[in-house]
Amino acid sequence: MNNPGKNKDRSKKEARDIRAEALKIANSQQVEGQTREQTRLIASGIQRGMEQFLRQQSEKARELDKRVKKVRRLAIQQSSELATDTTEIQRVAQVPIKKAWLPWGLLIISWMLFAGYVWFTRP
């Protein structure tokens, strides 16, 4: 099981990294006459944008994972249904020999009786 403290430490580190990256971007885009407070405000806006982007990406990843799981579940279900259908078709196609000769035997006997009846009842 994951340690919850590790996740908090990781998220704090990621937040610090995002904050540092946002400040670096804001400093690189700094204009002459811009105060430190303005640069900090710009950095906080960049930070919020980066955090929002990361949230959206994680939501998309979760949604994609859900879809992949659903597709896998449907594929497994279809393959199991196909397997049961195939075994049922094979079972029906493999009619036992004992049952297969019965209708043919009855047909042959009935034709023989019909032929005998016609042969012996001729005038």
Side-chain angles (χ1 to χ4, degrees), residues 1-111:
M1 201 181 259
N2 290 340
N3 189 352
K6 278 187 175 182
N7 289 338
K8 285 185 179 182
D9 292 341
R10 187 182 317 150
S11 63
K12 285 181 183 179
K13 184 180 181 222
E14 289 173 0
R16 281 192 302 252
D17 290 345
I18 291 172
R19 196 174 307 122
E21 187 70 25
L23 191 57
K24 190 166 110 176
I25 292 170
N27 284 333
S28 69
Q29 300 296 322
Q30 196 170 13
V31 186
E32 280 187 39
Q34 185 174 324
T35 65
R36 286 179 86 185
E37 185 60 32
Q38 290 171 333
T39 305
R40 251 189 301 211
L41 288 172
I42 292 170
S44 69
I46 292 171
Q47 178 184 351
R48 280 190 299 241
M50 290 170 73
E51 289 170 349
Q52 182 180 5
F53 175 77
L54 290 174
R55 274 195 304 272
Q56 288 173 348
Q57 293 302 311
S58 65
E59 287 174 11
K60 286 180 184 178
R62 280 194 301 273
E63 188 65 33
L64 182 63
D65 286 343
K66 287 179 184 177
R67 288 182 182 175
V68 167
K69 286 180 183 179
K70 186 175 184 180
V71 167
R72 283 183 185 160
R73 204 174 20 232
L74 288 173
I76 290 170
Q77 183 181 6
Q78 284 182 342
S79 67
S80 67
E81 287 176 2
L82 181 63
T84 57
D85 290 346
T86 307
T87 56
E88 187 174 326
I89 289 171
Q90 288 174 348
R91 188 170 26 107
V92 170
Q94 297 173 347
V95 175
I97 303 257
K98 291 179 182 178
K99 291 183 182 178
W101 72 266
L102 182 65
W104 289 105
L106 291 174
L107 180 68
I108 291 171
I109 291 172
S110 67
W111 276 100

